[in-house]
Amino acid sequence: DAEAIPFLKRALELDPNFAIAYCSIAVNYANLGQTNLAAENARKAYSLRDRVSERERYRISAFYFQNVTGEVEKATEAYELWAKSYPRDMVPHGNLGVIYAALGQYEKSIVETEVQQRLESTLTGYGNLAGTYTEVGRLKEARQTIQEAQQKGFDGLGVRSAQYSLAFLAKNNTEMEQQVAWA
């Protein structure tokens, strides 16, 4: 995320009306925890959304509603329309998975995250899926998801957090300590 920002800033210098670049930089800032800069750029993207393709408009609107206004219903609607209109795009499924999990709708979260992972496996997707399986007590599937992630070379905080949670539930102090040491 941090490495992408200078390139996006350069794109915006060349075209100050490049809506999707504003959205992309907003996503990067959000991923880095810089919420004010994320919101500022998301607002600019949203103000320019009439100049983009339908798919880009879904992306901009969904991010804006989810991260700037907090209108989860509108964000969910935008992600659902995006997913129906572009069924091979993994992004709306992954983000729907996050929203549904946050709302406690774990089974819906699992379905969306599984779709996202079938379309394109990501470290975040593995972590989210393992974590949600854990939330609903599907511990065997959580372990299998972690093992698959590791076999495919995906290793990061989301997967390690899920490992820690499973170790905690199993009262496995050694495994918990290993995950803390890794972190």
Side-chain angles (χ1 to χ4, degrees):
D1 290 303
E3 293 83 9
I5 291 172
F7 296 102
L8 291 164
K9 285 183 175 181
R10 177 67 179 136
L12 291 169
E13 286 173 13
L14 296 171
D15 181 358
N17 293 314
F18 193 178
I20 203 66
Y22 282 108
C23 185
S24 295
I25 202 168
V27 170
N28 293 132
Y29 280 131
N31 290 344
L32 293 168
Q34 297 184 30
T35 55
N36 289 339
L37 289 170
E40 176 186 320
N41 284 281
R43 280 188 206 91
K44 184 66 175 174
Y46 191 76
S47 73
L48 297 168
R49 73 189 180 286
D50 294 334
R51 305 169 47 112
V52 300
S53 70
E54 177 186 58
R55 181 185 174 278
E56 292 170 330
R57 196 168 13 267
Y58 287 135
R59 181 179 184 201
I60 290 167
S61 298
F63 184 86
Y64 176 79
F65 292 129
Q66 183 178 3
N67 295 282
V68 177
T69 69
E71 295 173 275
V72 177
E73 298 83 12
K74 287 184 177 182
T76 301
E77 181 182 338
Y79 284 128
E80 287 173 348
L81 288 169
W82 180 1
K84 286 177 184 153
S85 300
Y86 300 89
R88 289 189 219 135
D89 194 335
M90 63 78 118
V91 173
H93 295 287
N95 288 336
L96 280 168
V98 169
I99 288 174
Y100 290 142
L103 295 174
Q105 298 175 9
Y106 299 116
E107 293 302 327
K108 288 173 90 173
S109 174
I110 288 169
V111 168
E112 292 297 336
T113 308
E114 286 175 340
V115 170
Q116 179 254 309
Q117 287 295 93
R118 276 194 303 277
L119 292 169
E120 183 180 335
S121 295
T122 66
L123 174 60
T124 301
Y126 278 117
N128 290 348
L129 190 56
T132 307
Y133 281 144
T134 302
E135 290 286 336
V136 297
R138 292 165 61 177
L139 305 184
K140 181 180 178 184
E141 289 164 286
R143 279 188 211 89
Q144 289 171 335
T145 301
I146 292 166
Q147 288 172 349
E148 181 181 325
Q150 292 171 334
Q151 288 168 354
K152 292 184 176 181
F154 289 97
D155 188 26
L157 189 57
V159 171
R160 295 299 185 119
S161 294
Q163 275 185 284
Y164 182 91
S165 295
L166 289 172
F168 174 82
L169 293 171
K171 297 180 176 144
N172 183 337
N173 290 332
T174 303
E175 178 68 20
M176 288 190 299
E177 288 172 10
Q178 288 174 349
Q179 298 314 315
V180 170
W182 175 89

